[in-house]
Amino acid sequence: MTAATAEDRLAVGLIGAGRMGAFHAESLARRIPGARLAAIADPAPGAAGRLADRLGGPKPLTDIGALLAAPEVEAVVIATPARTHTDLVVAAAEAGKAVYCEKPMARTLAEADRAIDAARRAGVPLQIGFNRRYDRGFRAGHDLIASGGIGTPQLMRSLTRDPKLADPARVPPWTIFRETLIHDFDALRWLNPKAAPVEVFAMADALVRPDFKEEGLLDTAVVTIRFDNGAMATAEANFQAVYGYDVRAEVFGSAGMITLGEIRRTHMTAYGPEGAAAACVTYDQDLFHDAYVAELADFTDCVRTGRTPATTGTDARAALTMALAAIRSVTAGRAVRIDEVA
Amino acid sequence: MTAATAEDRLAVGLIGAGRMGAFHAESLARRIPGARLAAIADPAPGAAGRLADRLGGPKPLTDIGALLAAPEVEAVVIATPARTHTDLVVAAAEAGKAVYCEKPMARTLAEADRAIDAARRAGVPLQIGFNRRYDRGFRAGHDLIASGGIGTPQLMRSLTRDPKLADPARVPPWTIFRETLIHDFDALRWLNPKAAPVEVFAMADALVRPDFKEEGLLDTAVVTIRFDNGAMATAEANFQAVYGYDVRAEVFGSAGMITLGEIRRTHMTAYGPEGAAAACVTYDQDLFHDAYVAELADFTDCVRTGRTPATTGTDARAALTMALAAIRSVTAGRAVRIDEVA
Amino acid sequence: MTAATAEDRLAVGLIGAGRMGAFHAESLARRIPGARLAAIADPAPGAAGRLADRLGGPKPLTDIGALLAAPEVEAVVIATPARTHTDLVVAAAEAGKAVYCEKPMARTLAEADRAIDAARRAGVPLQIGFNRRYDRGFRAGHDLIASGGIGTPQLMRSLTRDPKLADPARVPPWTIFRETLIHDFDALRWLNPKAAPVEVFAMADALVRPDFKEEGLLDTAVVTIRFDNGAMATAEANFQAVYGYDVRAEVFGSAGMITLGEIRRTHMTAYGPEGAAAACVTYDQDLFHDAYVAELADFTDCVRTGRTPATTGTDARAALTMALAAIRSVTAGRAVRIDEVA
Amino acid sequence: MTAATAEDRLAVGLIGAGRMGAFHAESLARRIPGARLAAIADPAPGAAGRLADRLGGPKPLTDIGALLAAPEVEAVVIATPARTHTDLVVAAAEAGKAVYCEKPMARTLAEADRAIDAARRAGVPLQIGFNRRYDRGFRAGHDLIASGGIGTPQLMRSLTRDPKLADPARVPPWTIFRETLIHDFDALRWLNPKAAPVEVFAMADALVRPDFKEEGLLDTAVVTIRFDNGAMATAEANFQAVYGYDVRAEVFGSAGMITLGEIRRTHMTAYGPEGAAAACVTYDQDLFHDAYVAELADFTDCVRTGRTPATTGTDARAALTMALAAIRSVTAGRAVRIDEVA
């Protein structure tokens, strides 16, 4: 690694100063040697300013267009609400910026194609925030599978359980598939690297907050996916795990099995009259702290070196396809082939 | 407990001197204070004799009818091949014997009803070998759930992975549902004690031995089950886990989660240049040794006291219904409601 | 294995109908095919009778001499208070009985020699109850070490923590060394099979019940032991672990390490708002159930076949030597060489 | 947190550009918002320059005096060989710099006093690198103990096993006590916060490389420590653990127990025909990555706010006293009271 002066660090503009944006802002400002946080844009009055103040340096903006128009900004990180992602990816690409976008990149295949095409036409890198691929344990699992270490995958499982459903009224329809399970869909594709999904069957319901079911809330779901190498996978999600933030996976193959995931917050176990006890992880930025940093560091490196990102728009489209098939499966009450929605 | 002399111990006749029969024979002869092994019947020449010799006492027979006709035999344990179970349950009940039958009790609902009716008419206890209910850890999990300790179940999982598919040519069709996953179906019902299954979706294939798929082999399956309290369950099975015999379950509820299952053979962990290593369980009679004894001990006690067994013919019928729905789901390629097959 | 009729089962007489005696009685009566419980002797009025009643068969006696004189009794199991062990071993051996004796076999080296000599002169087997050697995980650890799997032991640890100090007034002096740590001393010798202890340094105190320190109570102790292959071992004990019954060991060698011990009662883990929780083992007859049975089964087999028991009087003497060195170390406040006490 | 511009970030000079120095350099340059790496000094030609180049900014020096004389340097981090620590602490303090020094701060009590006095006279903060106090799990353990969560400590254990003894010829005498176990001595004091050590007994040998024993190598040691609240602690160390870098602790108290330490490198477990396997941590900068950053971040904050560091020169002196008592114990072959060496 050679010296990175302020001049040769990648100048990144952050769009969206919310919870995840704030984390990425700190990473860009401090944790990633090759990057610097040049500007922050958030339409909410004061949001960008407060974050910029804290980080001492980046230019705060309320006008996203101004950020995209800034010539010194070489790349953008999009951490806004999901519904805005596609348009921002397109606008950023058209402005010639390298693009990192939080999942989901798109809500429809048309949107996905628009985003992918925009990046392709502009010749800019496009990376999507499937952070599990940057988690050290998940990465070790992937590498073992990719090297043939467990033979051919036959049974798979991936799950996401969020710790708390804060405001059910603000959960857009199908969020559990498009924003939550999209992680599991990507993880399953990545952990079965030589295969493609062919069929999906999904169940979903409002079990945490049945009182919001009529408003369209689905807070619990199980999806089974068939892959073209025969593997059968299960993805499950729930929006309220009282014990914490729970992300795990398991891949069983013809020559072995791996389990992935860490629920414990630290290595301390306490023993008392009630038995043995350990604290659980309750926050994604705790569990995936290093992965969140690593994905932006890798993005920075991809932009600099021209290397293709590990999680592209095409990956986002493939995971979206699985989500759409799952949604149609719930609506239709039957298994749905991927090629019905693709 | 008062003294159990030979006279007041329950005189049990064993039908079937195979692998599982031999285990039960030892339990009855030695491990269960309230029982004694009075006779062993197996049509295979010499089978009952060899086992009886080893246990020093029970009368060996090749004629099952002779065992059922023996007046001193108060109860029978049926450990023959699955296809013979129903007829033997009926015959034993009609002979007035209390009946313990290995799973599956029946292959069709008509068979199930025949067995249940026979026991009812004869007024004899009928217990089925769902041994997980007698495993200490599974039992602790059930009890916690039943007491409300994790709230209402929302997501469930149960799995069975056998260590070795020895002879794919000798696996009857649908075995994975009727003989393997039947355990998981029962476990899921038992771990969601206030609910009933309503719908099933199943996938199955010959992934271990695709060369036997044309003969009807299914060695890998995933089944999702919807319960009437909203819970979504997954049951999965595979006939060849190279690492061992793997039986686990997980129940996630509105107020907590439990995980069940032990893959490690002992408490020893060995650390070397390759990392940390632990041996796995490879044999069901190892993992479930105590549960296999406990279920027969409980049967013995039920017969003596008139208490209803914990796993009745009705439980077997309910699990069978789930298996039949799963089979139809595979055949029809769609979700199947339990009331379609019940 | 051939048939064991009542005649050719080993006729064992139990001496001592207390907590441990009751367990062994059940094992002899029911769990060990090759043995039968012929008689029970306990001087406490009614004790032998109640136990014999429960097991339906053995002859209850209050006179230990009568049991030793009974010609049909081939072997005895001694499960009386520690102070009586040596005399009973000698008397039993002189009566020509094979002898299984709970630890400790002796409280002094003179006693140990008396016991060993008596057995040698009588030509009877003498086995001591070092049950850890019969625990499956400990056994696996020993076997790995003995096969060279971790190279030469360099650092060792063994610990015993009892769950509850019920009555400090009834704990004889030096119990923690002679009755508790004696297990750890034996375990350390066994887990370092090619070496002998050479020096001991011990600390001990009444930390659980300091109010009984003046009466001589020692309820907490740490002993370090140097072996002649360089290995340095720690043995520690405490009489009141609020979380349960805790027995573990660790051996670190030139080519690897093993850890031994299981604190969890079952394989269930429960997750709730407080984190992850598991129940602990609280009772020795729970943790070592199978080991307690296995040691008597092996004794039975040794008597029948003439094979030398795995834990002999010589082993008991060697462990006692370590205990005596530890006691002298506490008294003298210095390290004590084994050859000072041997 | 308010904005930290280059001007108000703490200007830190690093002394020593070796393995640990390089890590701290990266932390100061990139990972700690409140600090900046102003200069690097290392007498080895090119060492400071190469590191400075990589980090793009700090001034490289071969003259440590020049660094100490630089007025813009507000604080120094000392990461040179142990024998130079005291003189550098004194020189830095006298130059008015806040001082962070890697353990050990001193090799004798006279040295320790010199260092402490220099810092006191100069009125500068002095922090020593006992990184375990900044590890999240160790911290959780400490906090539970400090809050009374396990009652009064009675039995304690702390261990350090390094993965590889690269060059036994270059290990200064008594390194295992002064540089390795010093961590455990500090950890034990910190985990028994209301008590002080009173007596030490130590064993040590060259078991990894007996061929270097004559040169004074000691690569394996066990130390038992008595505290004035009765607690008995064991500290053990070894220079070559083939399976990795192993740092653990255990504290058993009157009301509970905690275990601390993580040997696994990631959360992946792989299951195959040989059983279950997990990779181990093999590198201190992997296991303690976050703790190493946290201690410097805390140092930065202490300098800025005037808060006293968590690990002061007084702590280093106390741990040194334990090391000196252990050394004398080895030399004298007896237990040594702390007040003999203090």
Side-chain angles (χ1 to χ4, degrees):
Chain A
M1 201 190 304
T2 57
T5 62
E7 292 70 46
D8 51 29
R9 279 185 272 142
L10 183 72
V12 184
L14 172 71
I15 306 177
R19 200 182 66 85
M20 199 64 219
F23 186 94
H24 288 321
E26 287 208 41
S27 296
L28 293 165
R30 298 167 175 171
R31 299 177 187 123
I32 299 168
R36 66 189 178 89
L37 180 58
I40 304 173
D42 194 307
R50 281 188 300 272
L51 185 55
D53 273 358
R54 224 174 75 202
L55 296 170
K59 184 159 64 174
L61 300 162
T62 50
D63 179 3
I64 294 171
L67 185 144
L68 294 178
E72 73 273 17
V73 170
E74 299 167 272
V76 297
V77 165
I78 300 170
T80 54
R83 69 180 181 283
T84 66
H85 286 181
T86 305
D87 286 346
L88 288 173
V89 169
V90 171
E94 290 180 348
K97 313 301 188 195
V99 184
Y100 173 96
C101 182
E102 275 303 307
K103 56 87 214 169
M105 179 185 74
R107 291 167 306 164
T108 65
L109 293 182
E111 282 189 355
D113 289 336
R114 271 215 300 140
I116 293 168
D117 289 349
R120 188 180 301 135
R121 277 198 312 273
V124 296
L126 171 57
Q127 180 174 331
I128 308 305
F130 290 126
N131 53 287
R132 293 180 200 182
R133 297 197 185 200
Y134 289 92
D135 174 82
R136 196 175 182 180
F138 274 85
R139 167 67 59 177
H142 168 269
D143 291 354
L144 184 66
I145 293 168
S147 72
I150 63 163
T152 303
Q154 295 177 345
L155 292 167
M156 308 181 70
R157 183 195 197 202
S158 178
L159 66 85
T160 306
R161 294 178 188 154
D162 287 316
K164 179 85 187 130
L165 176 51
D167 188 351
R170 298 187 52 181
V171 177
W174 307 116
T175 291
I176 200 164
F177 296 107
R178 286 200 291 216
E179 301 194 34
T180 302
L181 283 162
I182 198 93
H183 277 299
D184 301 280
F185 297 145
D186 181 67
L188 291 168
R189 285 185 65 240
W190 180 61
L191 294 170
N192 192 4
K194 296 183 182 159
V198 292
E199 192 179 69
V200 168
F201 179 79
M203 293 175 173
D205 205 342
L207 301 181
V208 177
R209 293 299 299 269
D211 47 330
F212 280 81
K213 189 171 179 180
E214 298 222 335
E215 273 89 311
L217 180 70
L218 297 171
D219 53 38
T220 308
V222 171
V223 183
T224 49
I225 302 117
R226 194 70 198 279
F227 282 82
D228 61 8
N229 65 342
M232 302 168 198
T234 307
E236 58 167 84
N238 179 280
F239 284 171
Q240 188 158 301
V242 299
Y243 57 91
Y245 179 56
D246 190 0
V247 170
R248 282 176 286 150
E250 178 173 319
V251 185
F252 170 91
S254 55
M257 171 179 70
I258 57 163
T259 55
L260 301 174
E262 177 62 271
I263 304 187
R264 299 183 56 157
R265 196 184 316 168
T266 79
H267 53 68
M268 179 178 80
T269 304
Y271 299 79
E274 305 302 309
C280 290
V281 173
T282 54
Y283 197 43
D284 68 320
Q285 294 182 358
D286 183 359
L287 184 62
F288 285 121
H289 183 283
D290 292 353
Y292 286 154
V293 176
E295 62 185 352
L296 278 199
D298 197 49
F299 171 66
T300 299
D301 195 55
C302 285
V303 176
R304 273 289 174 255
T305 62
R307 181 163 51 82
T308 301
T311 59
T312 64
T314 307
D315 290 309
R317 190 187 195 282
L320 174 63
T321 308
M322 297 166 77
L324 295 175
I327 291 169
R328 187 176 296 182
S329 176
V330 169
T331 307
R334 63 172 176 83
V336 171
R337 292 185 55 86
I338 291 291
D339 57 23
E340 294 182 57
V341 298
Chain B
M1 201 190 303
T2 57
T5 62
E7 292 71 44
D8 51 30
R9 279 187 272 141
L10 183 71
V12 184
L14 171 71
I15 307 178
R19 198 182 66 86
M20 199 65 219
F23 186 95
H24 287 323
E26 288 207 41
S27 296
L28 293 164
R30 297 167 175 171
R31 299 176 187 125
I32 298 168
R36 65 186 180 89
L37 180 58
I40 304 173
D42 193 307
R50 281 187 300 271
L51 185 55
D53 273 357
R54 222 175 73 201
L55 296 170
K59 182 160 63 173
L61 300 162
T62 49
D63 179 4
I64 294 171
L67 184 144
L68 293 178
E72 72 274 18
V73 169
E74 299 166 273
V76 297
V77 165
I78 300 171
T80 53
R83 68 181 181 283
T84 66
H85 287 180
T86 305
D87 286 346
L88 288 171
V89 169
V90 171
E94 291 179 347
K97 315 301 190 196
V99 183
Y100 172 96
C101 181
E102 275 304 307
K103 58 83 210 171
M105 178 185 76
R107 289 167 306 164
T108 64
L109 293 182
E111 283 188 355
D113 289 335
R114 272 215 298 138
I116 292 168
D117 289 350
R120 188 180 300 135
R121 278 198 313 274
V124 296
L126 170 57
Q127 181 173 329
I128 310 302
F130 292 127
N131 53 288
R132 294 179 201 183
R133 297 196 185 202
Y134 288 92
D135 173 82
R136 196 177 182 180
F138 274 85
R139 168 65 60 179
H142 169 268
D143 291 353
L144 185 65
I145 293 168
S147 73
I150 62 162
T152 304
Q154 296 176 345
L155 292 167
M156 308 180 70
R157 184 195 197 201
S158 178
L159 66 84
T160 306
R161 295 179 189 153
D162 287 315
K164 179 85 187 131
L165 176 51
D167 188 350
R170 298 187 52 181
V171 177
W174 307 116
T175 291
I176 199 164
F177 296 106
R178 286 199 291 216
E179 301 195 34
T180 303
L181 283 162
I182 199 92
H183 277 300
D184 301 280
F185 297 144
D186 182 65
L188 291 168
R189 285 185 65 242
W190 180 61
L191 294 170
N192 191 6
K194 296 182 181 159
V198 291
E199 192 180 69
V200 169
F201 179 80
M203 293 174 173
D205 205 344
L207 300 181
V208 177
R209 293 299 299 269
D211 48 331
F212 280 81
K213 189 170 178 180
E214 297 223 335
E215 274 89 312
L217 180 70
L218 297 172
D219 54 39
T220 308
V222 171
V223 183
T224 49
I225 302 117
R226 194 69 198 279
F227 282 82
D228 62 7
N229 64 345
M232 302 168 198
T234 307
E236 57 167 87
N238 178 281
F239 284 171
Q240 187 157 301
V242 298
Y243 57 92
Y245 180 57
D246 190 0
V247 170
R248 282 175 287 150
E250 177 174 320
V251 184
F252 170 90
S254 56
M257 171 178 72
I258 58 163
T259 56
L260 301 174
E262 178 62 271
I263 303 186
R264 299 182 57 157
R265 196 183 316 166
T266 79
H267 53 69
M268 179 178 81
T269 305
Y271 298 80
E274 306 301 309
C280 290
V281 173
T282 53
Y283 197 45
D284 69 318
Q285 294 183 357
D286 182 359
L287 184 63
F288 286 121
H289 182 284
D290 292 353
Y292 286 154
V293 176
E295 61 184 353
L296 278 200
D298 197 50
F299 171 67
T300 299
D301 195 57
C302 284
V303 176
R304 272 292 173 254
T305 63
R307 180 163 52 82
T308 302
T311 59
T312 64
T314 307
D315 291 309
R317 191 188 194 281
L320 173 64
T321 309
M322 296 166 78
L324 295 175
I327 291 169
R328 187 177 296 183
S329 176
V330 170
T331 308
R334 63 172 176 83
V336 170
R337 292 185 56 85
I338 291 291
D339 57 23
E340 293 183 58
V341 299
Chain C
M1 203 190 301
T2 57
T5 63
E7 291 71 44
D8 51 28
R9 278 186 273 144
L10 182 72
V12 184
L14 171 71
I15 306 178
R19 198 183 67 85
M20 200 64 220
F23 186 94
H24 287 322
E26 287 208 41
S27 295
L28 293 165
R30 297 166 175 173
R31 300 177 186 124
I32 298 168
R36 65 187 179 88
L37 181 58
I40 304 173
D42 192 308
R50 281 188 299 271
L51 185 55
D53 273 358
R54 223 175 73 201
L55 296 170
K59 184 161 61 174
L61 301 160
T62 49
D63 178 3
I64 293 171
L67 184 145
L68 294 178
E72 73 273 20
V73 170
E74 300 167 90
V76 297
V77 165
I78 300 170
T80 54
R83 68 180 182 283
T84 65
H85 287 180
T86 304
D87 286 347
L88 288 172
V89 169
V90 171
E94 291 178 349
K97 315 301 189 196
V99 183
Y100 172 96
C101 181
E102 275 304 305
K103 57 85 212 169
M105 178 186 75
R107 289 168 306 165
T108 64
L109 293 181
E111 283 189 356
D113 289 336
R114 273 216 297 137
I116 292 168
D117 289 350
R120 187 179 303 135
R121 278 198 311 274
V124 296
L126 171 57
Q127 181 173 329
I128 309 303
F130 291 126
N131 53 287
R132 293 179 201 182
R133 297 196 186 202
Y134 289 93
D135 173 81
R136 196 176 183 180
F138 274 85
R139 167 67 59 180
H142 168 269
D143 292 353
L144 185 65
I145 292 168
S147 72
I150 63 162
T152 303
Q154 296 176 344
L155 292 167
M156 307 180 69
R157 183 194 197 202
S158 178
L159 67 85
T160 306
R161 294 178 189 154
D162 286 316
K164 179 88 188 125
L165 175 52
D167 189 350
R170 298 188 51 182
V171 177
W174 308 116
T175 292
I176 199 164
F177 296 107
R178 286 200 291 218
E179 301 195 32
T180 303
L181 283 162
I182 198 94
H183 277 300
D184 301 279
F185 297 144
D186 182 66
L188 291 168
R189 285 186 64 241
W190 180 60
L191 293 170
N192 192 6
K194 296 183 182 159
V198 290
E199 191 180 68
V200 168
F201 179 80
M203 292 175 174
D205 205 342
L207 300 181
V208 177
R209 293 299 299 269
D211 49 330
F212 280 82
K213 190 171 178 179
E214 298 223 335
E215 273 89 313
L217 179 69
L218 297 172
D219 52 39
T220 308
V222 171
V223 183
T224 49
I225 303 117
R226 194 69 198 279
F227 282 83
D228 62 7
N229 64 344
M232 302 169 198
T234 308
E236 58 168 86
N238 178 281
F239 284 172
Q240 187 157 302
V242 298
Y243 57 91
Y245 179 56
D246 190 0
V247 171
R248 283 176 285 150
E250 178 174 320
V251 184
F252 170 91
S254 56
M257 171 179 71
I258 58 162
T259 55
L260 301 174
E262 177 63 270
I263 304 187
R264 300 183 56 158
R265 195 183 318 166
T266 80
H267 53 68
M268 179 178 81
T269 305
Y271 298 80
E274 306 302 309
C280 291
V281 173
T282 54
Y283 197 44
D284 69 319
Q285 294 183 359
D286 182 358
L287 185 63
F288 286 121
H289 182 283
D290 292 353
Y292 286 154
V293 176
E295 61 185 352
L296 278 199
D298 197 50
F299 171 67
T300 300
D301 195 56
C302 285
V303 176
R304 273 290 172 254
T305 62
R307 180 163 53 81
T308 301
T311 57
T312 63
T314 307
D315 291 309
R317 192 188 194 281
L320 173 64
T321 309
M322 297 167 77
L324 295 175
I327 291 168
R328 187 177 297 183
S329 176
V330 169
T331 308
R334 63 171 177 85
V336 171
R337 293 185 55 84
I338 290 292
D339 57 23
E340 294 183 57
V341 299
Chain D
M1 201 190 304
T2 57
T5 62
E7 291 71 44
D8 51 30
R9 279 187 271 140
L10 183 72
V12 184
L14 171 71
I15 305 177
R19 200 182 66 85
M20 199 64 219
F23 186 94
H24 287 323
E26 288 208 40
S27 296
L28 293 165
R30 298 168 175 170
R31 299 177 187 123
I32 298 168
R36 65 188 178 91
L37 180 58
I40 304 173
D42 193 308
R50 280 188 299 272
L51 185 54
D53 273 357
R54 222 174 75 201
L55 296 169
K59 185 159 63 175
L61 300 162
T62 49
D63 179 3
I64 293 172
L67 185 144
L68 293 178
E72 72 273 18
V73 170
E74 299 168 90
V76 298
V77 165
I78 299 170
T80 53
R83 69 181 182 283
T84 67
H85 287 180
T86 304
D87 286 346
L88 288 172
V89 169
V90 171
E94 290 179 348
K97 314 301 188 195
V99 183
Y100 173 96
C101 181
E102 276 303 308
K103 56 87 209 169
M105 179 185 74
R107 291 168 304 165
T108 65
L109 292 182
E111 283 189 355
D113 289 336
R114 271 215 299 140
I116 293 168
D117 289 349
R120 188 179 300 135
R121 277 197 313 273
V124 296
L126 170 57
Q127 180 173 330
I128 309 304
F130 291 127
N131 54 287
R132 293 180 200 181
R133 296 198 186 200
Y134 289 92
D135 173 82
R136 197 176 182 178
F138 275 84
R139 167 68 58 178
H142 168 269
D143 291 353
L144 185 65
I145 293 168
S147 72
I150 63 163
T152 303
Q154 295 177 344
L155 292 167
M156 308 180 69
R157 182 196 199 202
S158 178
L159 67 84
T160 306
R161 295 179 188 151
D162 287 315
K164 179 86 187 128
L165 176 51
D167 188 351
R170 298 188 52 180
V171 177
W174 307 116
T175 291
I176 200 164
F177 295 107
R178 285 200 292 216
E179 301 194 35
T180 302
L181 284 162
I182 198 93
H183 277 300
D184 301 280
F185 297 144
D186 181 67
L188 291 168
R189 285 185 65 239
W190 180 61
L191 294 170
N192 192 6
K194 296 182 182 160
V198 291
E199 192 180 70
V200 168
F201 180 79
M203 293 174 172
D205 205 343
L207 300 181
V208 177
R209 293 298 299 269
D211 48 331
F212 280 81
K213 190 171 178 181
E214 298 223 336
E215 273 89 314
L217 179 70
L218 296 172
D219 53 40
T220 308
V222 171
V223 183
T224 50
I225 302 118
R226 194 71 197 280
F227 282 83
D228 61 7
N229 65 344
M232 302 168 198
T234 307
E236 57 167 86
N238 179 280
F239 284 171
Q240 188 159 300
V242 298
Y243 57 91
Y245 179 57
D246 190 0
V247 171
R248 283 175 287 150
E250 178 173 320
V251 185
F252 170 90
S254 56
M257 171 178 72
I258 57 163
T259 55
L260 301 174
E262 177 62 271
I263 303 187
R264 299 183 56 158
R265 195 183 317 168
T266 79
H267 53 68
M268 179 179 81
T269 305
Y271 299 79
E274 305 302 310
C280 290
V281 173
T282 54
Y283 196 44
D284 68 320
Q285 294 183 358
D286 183 359
L287 185 61
F288 285 122
H289 182 283
D290 293 354
Y292 285 154
V293 175
E295 62 185 351
L296 278 200
D298 197 48
F299 172 66
T300 300
D301 196 55
C302 285
V303 176
R304 273 292 173 253
T305 62
R307 181 163 51 81
T308 302
T311 58
T312 64
T314 307
D315 290 309
R317 190 187 195 284
L320 174 63
T321 309
M322 297 166 77
L324 295 175
I327 290 169
R328 187 176 298 183
S329 176
V330 169
T331 307
R334 62 172 176 84
V336 170
R337 293 184 54 85
I338 291 291
D339 56 23
E340 294 184 56
V341 298

